[in-house]
Amino acid sequence: YMPQEVFLFNTSIRNNLLWANSAATEQDMWDALKLANVHEHINNLEKKLDTPVGDRGTRISGGQRQRIALAMALIRKPSLLILDEATNELDELNEREILNTIAGLKHKITIIIITHNLSTMLMADNALIIKEEEIHTWDTNQTM
């Protein structure tokens, strides 16, 4: 599960990932960071995985914070990933990068995306739209 408001502990990237999966190896961490499309950035940091992120991730950008949170979800190797407005607070560039990352996970794991954003919804194979207390289904592969 990846909530709208990401919470990172005031410790290193490594410790945040270990909090998500205490049995994770360093290779597991890099694999999850690669899936979340943030591995190159972290590899270029002086302290790499041991870089402190600050209280709630304040020492890193919003996009990096979101991708580390995604890596924290992915390091558990879930068969189901729930994203609750995961890109809501990002600028357009970071939102696009996160959505590209999510698109790369398609058909690898089941992903449920909760969103108000039509472009995000269009990534889905199927959509449930809740409107006026009614649920409507929509095959996103069909034309509107």
Side-chain angles (χ1 to χ4, degrees), residues 68-135:
I68 290 171
L70 181 57
M72 289 171 67
L74 294 172
I75 201 164
R76 297 177 185 188
K77 298 181 177 145
S79 56
L80 173 66
L81 178 62
I82 301 172
L83 305 172
D84 185 2
E85 295 284 4
T87 62
N88 193 44
E89 295 184 16
L90 297 177
D91 60 55
E92 187 177 330
L93 175 63
N94 278 306
E95 178 183 23
R96 192 172 331 119
E97 288 181 8
I98 292 282
L99 293 178
N100 287 339
T101 298
I102 293 166
L105 297 171
K106 203 172 182 178
H107 306 295
K108 294 177 184 172
I109 61 176
T110 301
I111 304 171
I112 296 175
I113 302 173
I114 301 165
T115 186
H116 290 89
N117 187 329
L118 180 61
S119 63
T120 302
M121 188 172 66
L122 291 173
M123 293 178 50
D125 294 324
N126 294 290
L128 297 176
I129 301 169
I130 301 172
K131 185 176 181 181
E132 297 177 13
E133 300 180 14
E134 292 184 10
I135 298 175

Short mmCIF file of all heavy atoms in Angstrom, two decimals, residues 68-135:
data_model
loop_
_atom_site.label_atom_id
_atom_site.label_comp_id
_atom_site.label_asym_id
_atom_site.label_seq_id
_atom_site.Cartn_x
_atom_site.Cartn_y
_atom_site.Cartn_z
N ILE A 68 10.96 6.48 -3.47
CA ILE A 68 11.49 5.67 -2.36
C ILE A 68 10.33 4.97 -1.66
O ILE A 68 10.43 3.80 -1.29
CB ILE A 68 12.34 6.51 -1.39
CG1 ILE A 68 13.65 6.91 -2.09
CG2 ILE A 68 12.63 5.74 -0.11
CD1 ILE A 68 14.48 7.93 -1.34
N ALA A 69 9.21 5.68 -1.49
CA ALA A 69 8.03 5.05 -0.88
C ALA A 69 7.53 3.91 -1.75
O ALA A 69 7.12 2.86 -1.24
CB ALA A 69 6.93 6.09 -0.67
N LEU A 70 7.57 4.09 -3.06
CA LEU A 70 7.18 3.01 -3.97
C LEU A 70 8.14 1.84 -3.83
O LEU A 70 7.72 0.67 -3.77
CB LEU A 70 7.14 3.52 -5.42
CG LEU A 70 6.73 2.53 -6.49
CD1 LEU A 70 5.35 1.93 -6.20
CD2 LEU A 70 6.73 3.20 -7.86
N ALA A 71 9.43 2.12 -3.72
CA ALA A 71 10.42 1.05 -3.51
C ALA A 71 10.15 0.33 -2.19
O ALA A 71 10.31 -0.90 -2.11
CB ALA A 71 11.84 1.63 -3.53
N MET A 72 9.73 1.08 -1.16
CA MET A 72 9.41 0.46 0.11
C MET A 72 8.23 -0.51 -0.03
O MET A 72 8.20 -1.57 0.61
CB MET A 72 9.08 1.53 1.17
CG MET A 72 10.30 2.32 1.61
SD MET A 72 9.89 3.73 2.66
CE MET A 72 9.27 2.91 4.13
N ALA A 73 7.28 -0.17 -0.86
CA ALA A 73 6.16 -1.08 -1.11
C ALA A 73 6.61 -2.27 -1.94
O ALA A 73 6.22 -3.41 -1.68
CB ALA A 73 5.02 -0.33 -1.81
N LEU A 74 7.46 -2.02 -2.93
CA LEU A 74 7.88 -3.09 -3.84
C LEU A 74 8.89 -4.05 -3.23
O LEU A 74 8.97 -5.21 -3.65
CB LEU A 74 8.47 -2.47 -5.11
CG LEU A 74 7.47 -1.70 -5.97
CD1 LEU A 74 8.19 -0.96 -7.09
CD2 LEU A 74 6.40 -2.62 -6.52
N ILE A 75 9.64 -3.60 -2.23
CA ILE A 75 10.66 -4.47 -1.62
C ILE A 75 10.01 -5.64 -0.88
O ILE A 75 10.64 -6.65 -0.63
CB ILE A 75 11.61 -3.66 -0.72
CG1 ILE A 75 12.91 -4.45 -0.53
CG2 ILE A 75 10.94 -3.32 0.61
CD1 ILE A 75 14.04 -3.61 0.01
N ARG A 76 8.74 -5.51 -0.62
CA ARG A 76 7.99 -6.60 0.02
C ARG A 76 7.58 -7.67 -0.99
O ARG A 76 7.01 -8.68 -0.64
CB ARG A 76 6.75 -6.06 0.70
CG ARG A 76 7.07 -5.11 1.83
CD ARG A 76 5.83 -4.54 2.43
NE ARG A 76 6.19 -3.54 3.43
CZ ARG A 76 5.33 -2.96 4.22
NH1 ARG A 76 4.06 -3.28 4.16
NH2 ARG A 76 5.73 -2.07 5.09
N LYS A 77 7.85 -7.39 -2.27
CA LYS A 77 7.49 -8.28 -3.38
C LYS A 77 6.01 -8.66 -3.34
O LYS A 77 5.64 -9.83 -3.29
CB LYS A 77 8.40 -9.52 -3.38
CG LYS A 77 9.85 -9.14 -3.57
CD LYS A 77 10.76 -10.32 -3.60
CE LYS A 77 12.16 -9.79 -3.85
NZ LYS A 77 13.20 -10.46 -3.22
N PRO A 78 5.16 -7.63 -3.39
CA PRO A 78 3.72 -7.88 -3.27
C PRO A 78 3.14 -8.47 -4.55
O PRO A 78 3.66 -8.26 -5.64
CB PRO A 78 3.15 -6.48 -3.03
CG PRO A 78 4.09 -5.60 -3.80
CD PRO A 78 5.46 -6.22 -3.60
N SER A 79 2.06 -9.19 -4.39
CA SER A 79 1.31 -9.63 -5.57
C SER A 79 0.22 -8.61 -5.88
O SER A 79 -0.35 -8.61 -6.96
CB SER A 79 0.72 -11.02 -5.35
OG SER A 79 -0.10 -11.02 -4.19
N LEU A 80 -0.07 -7.75 -4.90
CA LEU A 80 -1.07 -6.69 -5.04
C LEU A 80 -0.48 -5.39 -4.52
O LEU A 80 0.05 -5.35 -3.40
CB LEU A 80 -2.34 -7.04 -4.25
CG LEU A 80 -3.41 -5.96 -4.16
CD1 LEU A 80 -4.01 -5.67 -5.53
CD2 LEU A 80 -4.50 -6.38 -3.17
N LEU A 81 -0.56 -4.34 -5.31
CA LEU A 81 -0.06 -3.02 -4.92
C LEU A 81 -1.23 -2.04 -5.01
O LEU A 81 -1.87 -1.93 -6.05
CB LEU A 81 1.07 -2.58 -5.84
CG LEU A 81 1.67 -1.20 -5.60
CD1 LEU A 81 2.30 -1.10 -4.22
CD2 LEU A 81 2.71 -0.88 -6.67
N ILE A 82 -1.51 -1.36 -3.90
CA ILE A 82 -2.59 -0.37 -3.87
C ILE A 82 -1.96 1.02 -3.76
O ILE A 82 -1.20 1.29 -2.83
CB ILE A 82 -3.55 -0.62 -2.69
CG1 ILE A 82 -4.16 -2.02 -2.81
CG2 ILE A 82 -4.63 0.46 -2.64
CD1 ILE A 82 -4.96 -2.44 -1.60
N LEU A 83 -2.28 1.86 -4.73
CA LEU A 83 -1.76 3.22 -4.77
C LEU A 83 -2.92 4.19 -4.55
O LEU A 83 -3.83 4.26 -5.36
CB LEU A 83 -1.10 3.50 -6.13
CG LEU A 83 -0.01 2.52 -6.54
CD1 LEU A 83 0.43 2.78 -7.97
CD2 LEU A 83 1.17 2.61 -5.59
N ASP A 84 -2.89 4.91 -3.44
CA ASP A 84 -3.96 5.83 -3.09
C ASP A 84 -3.52 7.26 -3.39
O ASP A 84 -2.79 7.86 -2.60
CB ASP A 84 -4.30 5.66 -1.60
CG ASP A 84 -5.49 6.51 -1.17
OD1 ASP A 84 -6.08 7.20 -2.02
OD2 ASP A 84 -5.81 6.48 0.03
N GLU A 85 -3.95 7.78 -4.54
CA GLU A 85 -3.57 9.13 -4.97
C GLU A 85 -2.06 9.33 -4.87
O GLU A 85 -1.58 10.36 -4.40
CB GLU A 85 -4.30 10.18 -4.14
CG GLU A 85 -5.81 10.19 -4.32
CD GLU A 85 -6.28 10.81 -5.62
OE1 GLU A 85 -5.46 11.19 -6.47
OE2 GLU A 85 -7.50 10.92 -5.80
N ALA A 86 -1.30 8.34 -5.33
CA ALA A 86 0.15 8.32 -5.15
C ALA A 86 0.89 9.44 -5.88
O ALA A 86 2.03 9.74 -5.54
CB ALA A 86 0.70 6.97 -5.59
N THR A 87 0.26 10.07 -6.86
CA THR A 87 0.93 11.14 -7.60
C THR A 87 0.25 12.50 -7.39
O THR A 87 0.61 13.47 -8.04
CB THR A 87 0.96 10.83 -9.11
OG1 THR A 87 -0.38 10.76 -9.60
CG2 THR A 87 1.69 9.52 -9.38
N ASN A 88 -0.68 12.56 -6.49
CA ASN A 88 -1.52 13.75 -6.31
C ASN A 88 -0.74 15.01 -5.98
O ASN A 88 -1.10 16.09 -6.44
CB ASN A 88 -2.56 13.48 -5.22
CG ASN A 88 -3.63 14.52 -5.19
OD1 ASN A 88 -4.14 14.92 -6.23
ND2 ASN A 88 -3.99 14.97 -4.00
N GLU A 89 0.34 14.91 -5.22
CA GLU A 89 1.05 16.11 -4.78
C GLU A 89 2.33 16.38 -5.58
O GLU A 89 3.16 17.17 -5.15
CB GLU A 89 1.37 15.98 -3.29
CG GLU A 89 0.13 15.96 -2.44
CD GLU A 89 0.42 15.93 -0.95
OE1 GLU A 89 1.56 16.23 -0.56
OE2 GLU A 89 -0.50 15.62 -0.20
N LEU A 90 2.47 15.74 -6.73
CA LEU A 90 3.69 15.89 -7.52
C LEU A 90 3.49 16.86 -8.68
O LEU A 90 2.38 17.04 -9.18
CB LEU A 90 4.11 14.54 -8.09
CG LEU A 90 4.49 13.46 -7.09
CD1 LEU A 90 4.81 12.17 -7.81
CD2 LEU A 90 5.67 13.91 -6.24
N ASP A 91 4.60 17.46 -9.12
CA ASP A 91 4.54 18.28 -10.32
C ASP A 91 4.37 17.35 -11.53
O ASP A 91 4.49 16.13 -11.42
CB ASP A 91 5.78 19.15 -10.46
CG ASP A 91 7.07 18.35 -10.55
OD1 ASP A 91 7.18 17.47 -11.43
OD2 ASP A 91 7.97 18.59 -9.72
N GLU A 92 4.09 17.92 -12.68
CA GLU A 92 3.76 17.13 -13.87
C GLU A 92 4.89 16.18 -14.28
O GLU A 92 4.65 15.03 -14.63
CB GLU A 92 3.43 18.08 -15.03
CG GLU A 92 2.91 17.36 -16.26
CD GLU A 92 2.52 18.33 -17.35
OE1 GLU A 92 2.11 19.47 -17.05
OE2 GLU A 92 2.63 17.94 -18.53
N LEU A 93 6.13 16.65 -14.23
CA LEU A 93 7.27 15.81 -14.63
C LEU A 93 7.42 14.60 -13.71
O LEU A 93 7.53 13.47 -14.17
CB LEU A 93 8.57 16.62 -14.64
CG LEU A 93 9.84 15.83 -14.94
CD1 LEU A 93 9.80 15.24 -16.34
CD2 LEU A 93 11.06 16.71 -14.77
N ASN A 94 7.39 14.84 -12.39
CA ASN A 94 7.52 13.72 -11.45
C ASN A 94 6.33 12.79 -11.52
O ASN A 94 6.47 11.58 -11.40
CB ASN A 94 7.71 14.24 -10.02
CG ASN A 94 9.15 14.62 -9.76
OD1 ASN A 94 10.06 13.84 -9.98
ND2 ASN A 94 9.37 15.85 -9.32
N GLU A 95 5.14 13.35 -11.73
CA GLU A 95 3.95 12.50 -11.89
C GLU A 95 4.12 11.58 -13.10
O GLU A 95 3.87 10.38 -13.02
CB GLU A 95 2.70 13.35 -12.06
CG GLU A 95 1.45 12.51 -12.27
CD GLU A 95 0.21 13.33 -12.51
OE1 GLU A 95 0.31 14.51 -12.94
OE2 GLU A 95 -0.88 12.79 -12.27
N ARG A 96 4.58 12.13 -14.21
CA ARG A 96 4.78 11.33 -15.42
C ARG A 96 5.80 10.22 -15.18
O ARG A 96 5.61 9.08 -15.61
CB ARG A 96 5.21 12.24 -16.58
CG ARG A 96 5.15 11.55 -17.93
CD ARG A 96 5.39 12.47 -19.12
NE ARG A 96 4.98 13.84 -18.90
CZ ARG A 96 5.82 14.90 -18.94
NH1 ARG A 96 7.09 14.71 -19.19
NH2 ARG A 96 5.39 16.11 -18.73
N GLU A 97 6.88 10.55 -14.48
CA GLU A 97 7.92 9.54 -14.21
C GLU A 97 7.38 8.41 -13.32
O GLU A 97 7.65 7.24 -13.57
CB GLU A 97 9.14 10.19 -13.57
CG GLU A 97 9.93 11.03 -14.57
CD GLU A 97 11.15 11.67 -13.96
OE1 GLU A 97 11.50 11.37 -12.81
OE2 GLU A 97 11.78 12.50 -14.65
N ILE A 98 6.60 8.76 -12.30
CA ILE A 98 6.01 7.74 -11.43
C ILE A 98 5.03 6.89 -12.24
O ILE A 98 5.01 5.66 -12.13
CB ILE A 98 5.29 8.37 -10.22
CG1 ILE A 98 6.30 9.02 -9.28
CG2 ILE A 98 4.41 7.36 -9.50
CD1 ILE A 98 7.05 8.07 -8.38
N LEU A 99 4.22 7.52 -13.08
CA LEU A 99 3.26 6.77 -13.89
C LEU A 99 3.97 5.85 -14.88
O LEU A 99 3.51 4.73 -15.13
CB LEU A 99 2.30 7.72 -14.60
CG LEU A 99 1.34 8.49 -13.68
CD1 LEU A 99 0.48 9.44 -14.49
CD2 LEU A 99 0.50 7.55 -12.85
N ASN A 100 5.09 6.30 -15.43
CA ASN A 100 5.87 5.43 -16.31
C ASN A 100 6.41 4.23 -15.54
O ASN A 100 6.44 3.10 -16.05
CB ASN A 100 7.02 6.19 -16.96
CG ASN A 100 6.56 7.16 -18.02
OD1 ASN A 100 5.47 7.02 -18.57
ND2 ASN A 100 7.37 8.15 -18.32
N THR A 101 6.83 4.46 -14.32
CA THR A 101 7.30 3.37 -13.46
C THR A 101 6.18 2.38 -13.21
O THR A 101 6.36 1.17 -13.33
CB THR A 101 7.83 3.93 -12.13
OG1 THR A 101 8.94 4.78 -12.41
CG2 THR A 101 8.26 2.81 -11.20
N ILE A 102 5.00 2.90 -12.88
CA ILE A 102 3.85 2.04 -12.62
C ILE A 102 3.48 1.27 -13.88
O ILE A 102 3.18 0.07 -13.82
CB ILE A 102 2.67 2.88 -12.08
CG1 ILE A 102 3.02 3.43 -10.70
CG2 ILE A 102 1.39 2.05 -12.03
CD1 ILE A 102 2.09 4.52 -10.23
N ALA A 103 3.53 1.93 -15.03
CA ALA A 103 3.23 1.24 -16.29
C ALA A 103 4.21 0.09 -16.53
O ALA A 103 3.83 -0.95 -17.06
CB ALA A 103 3.28 2.24 -17.45
N GLY A 104 5.46 0.26 -16.11
CA GLY A 104 6.45 -0.80 -16.26
C GLY A 104 6.17 -2.01 -15.37
O GLY A 104 6.66 -3.11 -15.62
N LEU A 105 5.37 -1.82 -14.33
CA LEU A 105 5.01 -2.92 -13.42
C LEU A 105 3.77 -3.67 -13.90
O LEU A 105 3.46 -4.74 -13.38
CB LEU A 105 4.74 -2.37 -12.01
CG LEU A 105 5.92 -1.71 -11.32
CD1 LEU A 105 5.46 -1.02 -10.04
CD2 LEU A 105 7.00 -2.75 -11.02
N LYS A 106 3.09 -3.09 -14.89
CA LYS A 106 1.87 -3.70 -15.40
C LYS A 106 2.16 -5.12 -15.87
O LYS A 106 3.18 -5.37 -16.51
CB LYS A 106 1.35 -2.84 -16.56
CG LYS A 106 -0.10 -2.99 -16.86
CD LYS A 106 -0.50 -1.94 -17.88
CE LYS A 106 -1.96 -2.01 -18.17
NZ LYS A 106 -2.38 -0.99 -19.12
N HIS A 107 1.28 -6.03 -15.53
CA HIS A 107 1.38 -7.46 -15.88
C HIS A 107 2.44 -8.20 -15.06
O HIS A 107 2.66 -9.38 -15.27
CB HIS A 107 1.61 -7.68 -17.38
CG HIS A 107 0.57 -7.00 -18.22
ND1 HIS A 107 -0.76 -7.36 -18.20
CD2 HIS A 107 0.67 -5.96 -19.08
CE1 HIS A 107 -1.43 -6.58 -19.03
NE2 HIS A 107 -0.60 -5.71 -19.57
N LYS A 108 3.10 -7.51 -14.13
CA LYS A 108 4.03 -8.17 -13.21
C LYS A 108 3.35 -8.39 -11.86
O LYS A 108 3.57 -9.40 -11.22
CB LYS A 108 5.30 -7.35 -13.02
CG LYS A 108 6.13 -7.25 -14.29
CD LYS A 108 7.35 -6.38 -14.09
CE LYS A 108 8.08 -6.22 -15.41
NZ LYS A 108 9.16 -5.26 -15.33
N ILE A 109 2.56 -7.40 -11.45
CA ILE A 109 1.77 -7.51 -10.23
C ILE A 109 0.42 -6.84 -10.49
O ILE A 109 0.27 -6.06 -11.42
CB ILE A 109 2.46 -6.85 -9.01
CG1 ILE A 109 2.70 -5.36 -9.25
CG2 ILE A 109 3.76 -7.54 -8.67
CD1 ILE A 109 3.29 -4.64 -8.05
N THR A 110 -0.55 -7.17 -9.66
CA THR A 110 -1.86 -6.53 -9.75
C THR A 110 -1.77 -5.17 -9.06
O THR A 110 -1.29 -5.08 -7.93
CB THR A 110 -2.94 -7.40 -9.08
OG1 THR A 110 -2.96 -8.66 -9.73
CG2 THR A 110 -4.30 -6.74 -9.15
N ILE A 111 -2.21 -4.14 -9.74
CA ILE A 111 -2.13 -2.78 -9.21
C ILE A 111 -3.53 -2.18 -9.17
O ILE A 111 -4.25 -2.19 -10.18
CB ILE A 111 -1.21 -1.89 -10.08
CG1 ILE A 111 0.17 -2.52 -10.19
CG2 ILE A 111 -1.14 -0.48 -9.51
CD1 ILE A 111 1.08 -1.83 -11.20
N ILE A 112 -3.90 -1.68 -8.01
CA ILE A 112 -5.14 -0.93 -7.85
C ILE A 112 -4.75 0.51 -7.60
O ILE A 112 -3.99 0.81 -6.68
CB ILE A 112 -5.98 -1.48 -6.67
CG1 ILE A 112 -6.41 -2.92 -6.98
CG2 ILE A 112 -7.19 -0.58 -6.41
CD1 ILE A 112 -7.14 -3.60 -5.83
N ILE A 113 -5.27 1.39 -8.45
CA ILE A 113 -4.95 2.81 -8.33
C ILE A 113 -6.22 3.57 -7.96
O ILE A 113 -7.22 3.49 -8.67
CB ILE A 113 -4.39 3.37 -9.67
CG1 ILE A 113 -3.14 2.60 -10.08
CG2 ILE A 113 -4.11 4.86 -9.54
CD1 ILE A 113 -2.61 2.97 -11.46
N ILE A 114 -6.15 4.30 -6.87
CA ILE A 114 -7.24 5.17 -6.45
C ILE A 114 -6.84 6.57 -6.90
O ILE A 114 -5.79 7.08 -6.50
CB ILE A 114 -7.45 5.11 -4.93
CG1 ILE A 114 -7.76 3.68 -4.51
CG2 ILE A 114 -8.55 6.09 -4.50
CD1 ILE A 114 -7.62 3.42 -3.02
N THR A 115 -7.66 7.18 -7.75
CA THR A 115 -7.28 8.47 -8.31
C THR A 115 -8.49 9.29 -8.73
O THR A 115 -9.56 8.75 -9.00
CB THR A 115 -6.35 8.27 -9.53
OG1 THR A 115 -5.88 9.54 -9.98
CG2 THR A 115 -7.03 7.55 -10.67
N HIS A 116 -8.29 10.60 -8.79
CA HIS A 116 -9.25 11.52 -9.38
C HIS A 116 -8.76 11.98 -10.75
O HIS A 116 -9.43 12.72 -11.44
CB HIS A 116 -9.44 12.75 -8.48
CG HIS A 116 -10.15 12.47 -7.22
ND1 HIS A 116 -9.50 12.08 -6.08
CD2 HIS A 116 -11.46 12.49 -6.92
CE1 HIS A 116 -10.39 11.89 -5.12
NE2 HIS A 116 -11.58 12.13 -5.61
N ASN A 117 -7.58 11.55 -11.13
CA ASN A 117 -6.91 12.01 -12.34
C ASN A 117 -7.26 11.11 -13.52
O ASN A 117 -6.94 9.93 -13.53
CB ASN A 117 -5.40 12.01 -12.07
CG ASN A 117 -4.61 12.62 -13.19
OD1 ASN A 117 -4.99 12.55 -14.35
ND2 ASN A 117 -3.48 13.20 -12.84
N LEU A 118 -7.89 11.67 -14.55
CA LEU A 118 -8.30 10.89 -15.71
C LEU A 118 -7.12 10.26 -16.43
O LEU A 118 -7.17 9.10 -16.83
CB LEU A 118 -9.10 11.76 -16.69
CG LEU A 118 -9.58 11.06 -17.96
CD1 LEU A 118 -10.51 9.90 -17.61
CD2 LEU A 118 -10.26 12.05 -18.88
N SER A 119 -6.00 10.97 -16.58
CA SER A 119 -4.86 10.41 -17.29
C SER A 119 -4.28 9.21 -16.55
O SER A 119 -3.81 8.25 -17.16
CB SER A 119 -3.78 11.46 -17.54
OG SER A 119 -3.27 11.94 -16.32
N THR A 120 -4.33 9.25 -15.23
CA THR A 120 -3.88 8.10 -14.43
C THR A 120 -4.84 6.94 -14.63
O THR A 120 -4.42 5.80 -14.81
CB THR A 120 -3.78 8.48 -12.94
OG1 THR A 120 -2.88 9.57 -12.80
CG2 THR A 120 -3.31 7.31 -12.12
N MET A 121 -6.11 7.23 -14.62
CA MET A 121 -7.13 6.19 -14.79
C MET A 121 -7.01 5.51 -16.15
O MET A 121 -7.24 4.31 -16.28
CB MET A 121 -8.53 6.79 -14.62
CG MET A 121 -9.62 5.75 -14.58
SD MET A 121 -11.22 6.44 -14.17
CE MET A 121 -11.54 7.47 -15.59
N LEU A 122 -6.61 6.24 -17.16
CA LEU A 122 -6.49 5.68 -18.50
C LEU A 122 -5.39 4.63 -18.62
O LEU A 122 -5.36 3.86 -19.57
CB LEU A 122 -6.28 6.79 -19.53
CG LEU A 122 -7.49 7.70 -19.76
CD1 LEU A 122 -7.11 8.86 -20.66
CD2 LEU A 122 -8.66 6.92 -20.32
N MET A 123 -4.49 4.58 -17.63
CA MET A 123 -3.44 3.56 -17.62
C MET A 123 -4.02 2.18 -17.30
O MET A 123 -3.42 1.17 -17.62
CB MET A 123 -2.40 3.86 -16.54
CG MET A 123 -1.57 5.07 -16.77
SD MET A 123 -0.44 5.31 -15.38
CE MET A 123 0.29 3.70 -15.21
N ALA A 124 -5.16 2.17 -16.66
CA ALA A 124 -5.74 0.93 -16.16
C ALA A 124 -6.37 0.11 -17.28
O ALA A 124 -6.77 0.64 -18.32
CB ALA A 124 -6.80 1.25 -15.11
N ASP A 125 -6.44 -1.19 -17.06
CA ASP A 125 -7.16 -2.05 -17.98
C ASP A 125 -8.67 -1.90 -17.78
O ASP A 125 -9.44 -1.96 -18.73
CB ASP A 125 -6.77 -3.52 -17.76
CG ASP A 125 -5.31 -3.78 -18.12
OD1 ASP A 125 -4.82 -3.16 -19.09
OD2 ASP A 125 -4.67 -4.58 -17.44
N ASN A 126 -9.07 -1.73 -16.53
CA ASN A 126 -10.48 -1.55 -16.17
C ASN A 126 -10.57 -0.50 -15.09
O ASN A 126 -9.64 -0.31 -14.31
CB ASN A 126 -11.06 -2.87 -15.63
CG ASN A 126 -11.12 -3.93 -16.70
OD1 ASN A 126 -11.89 -3.83 -17.63
ND2 ASN A 126 -10.27 -4.93 -16.58
N ALA A 127 -11.71 0.16 -15.04
CA ALA A 127 -11.90 1.20 -14.03
C ALA A 127 -13.27 1.06 -13.40
O ALA A 127 -14.24 0.67 -14.06
CB ALA A 127 -11.76 2.58 -14.68
N LEU A 128 -13.32 1.37 -12.13
CA LEU A 128 -14.57 1.51 -11.39
C LEU A 128 -14.70 2.98 -11.07
O LEU A 128 -13.80 3.58 -10.48
CB LEU A 128 -14.57 0.69 -10.10
CG LEU A 128 -14.46 -0.82 -10.25
CD1 LEU A 128 -14.37 -1.48 -8.89
CD2 LEU A 128 -15.64 -1.37 -11.02
N ILE A 129 -15.81 3.55 -11.47
CA ILE A 129 -16.03 4.98 -11.25
C ILE A 129 -17.17 5.11 -10.26
O ILE A 129 -18.26 4.57 -10.47
CB ILE A 129 -16.36 5.69 -12.57
CG1 ILE A 129 -15.21 5.51 -13.55
CG2 ILE A 129 -16.67 7.17 -12.32
CD1 ILE A 129 -15.52 5.94 -14.96
N ILE A 130 -16.90 5.81 -9.17
CA ILE A 130 -17.93 6.05 -8.16
C ILE A 130 -18.44 7.46 -8.36
O ILE A 130 -17.69 8.43 -8.27
CB ILE A 130 -17.36 5.87 -6.73
CG1 ILE A 130 -16.80 4.46 -6.58
CG2 ILE A 130 -18.43 6.17 -5.70
CD1 ILE A 130 -16.04 4.23 -5.30
N LYS A 131 -19.73 7.53 -8.68
CA LYS A 131 -20.35 8.83 -8.94
C LYS A 131 -21.74 8.82 -8.34
O LYS A 131 -22.54 7.93 -8.64
CB LYS A 131 -20.41 9.09 -10.44
CG LYS A 131 -20.93 10.45 -10.81
CD LYS A 131 -20.88 10.69 -12.30
CE LYS A 131 -21.39 12.07 -12.62
NZ LYS A 131 -21.38 12.31 -14.06
N GLU A 132 -22.00 9.81 -7.50
CA GLU A 132 -23.30 9.93 -6.86
C GLU A 132 -23.74 8.63 -6.22
O GLU A 132 -24.84 8.14 -6.45
CB GLU A 132 -24.33 10.45 -7.87
CG GLU A 132 -24.00 11.84 -8.39
CD GLU A 132 -24.97 12.32 -9.45
OE1 GLU A 132 -26.03 11.71 -9.63
OE2 GLU A 132 -24.65 13.33 -10.10
N GLU A 133 -22.82 8.04 -5.45
CA GLU A 133 -23.06 6.83 -4.67
C GLU A 133 -23.35 5.60 -5.53
O GLU A 133 -23.87 4.60 -5.03
CB GLU A 133 -24.18 7.05 -3.65
CG GLU A 133 -23.85 8.16 -2.65
CD GLU A 133 -24.93 8.38 -1.63
OE1 GLU A 133 -25.83 7.53 -1.51
OE2 GLU A 133 -24.87 9.41 -0.95
N GLU A 134 -23.05 5.65 -6.81
CA GLU A 134 -23.21 4.49 -7.69
C GLU A 134 -21.85 4.11 -8.27
O GLU A 134 -21.01 4.97 -8.53
CB GLU A 134 -24.18 4.81 -8.83
CG GLU A 134 -25.61 4.99 -8.38
CD GLU A 134 -26.55 5.21 -9.55
OE1 GLU A 134 -26.14 5.02 -10.72
OE2 GLU A 134 -27.71 5.59 -9.30
N ILE A 135 -21.66 2.82 -8.48
CA ILE A 135 -20.42 2.32 -9.05
C ILE A 135 -20.67 1.93 -10.49
O ILE A 135 -21.60 1.18 -10.79
CB ILE A 135 -19.89 1.12 -8.25
CG1 ILE A 135 -19.58 1.54 -6.82
CG2 ILE A 135 -18.64 0.53 -8.92
CD1 ILE A 135 -19.16 0.40 -5.91
#
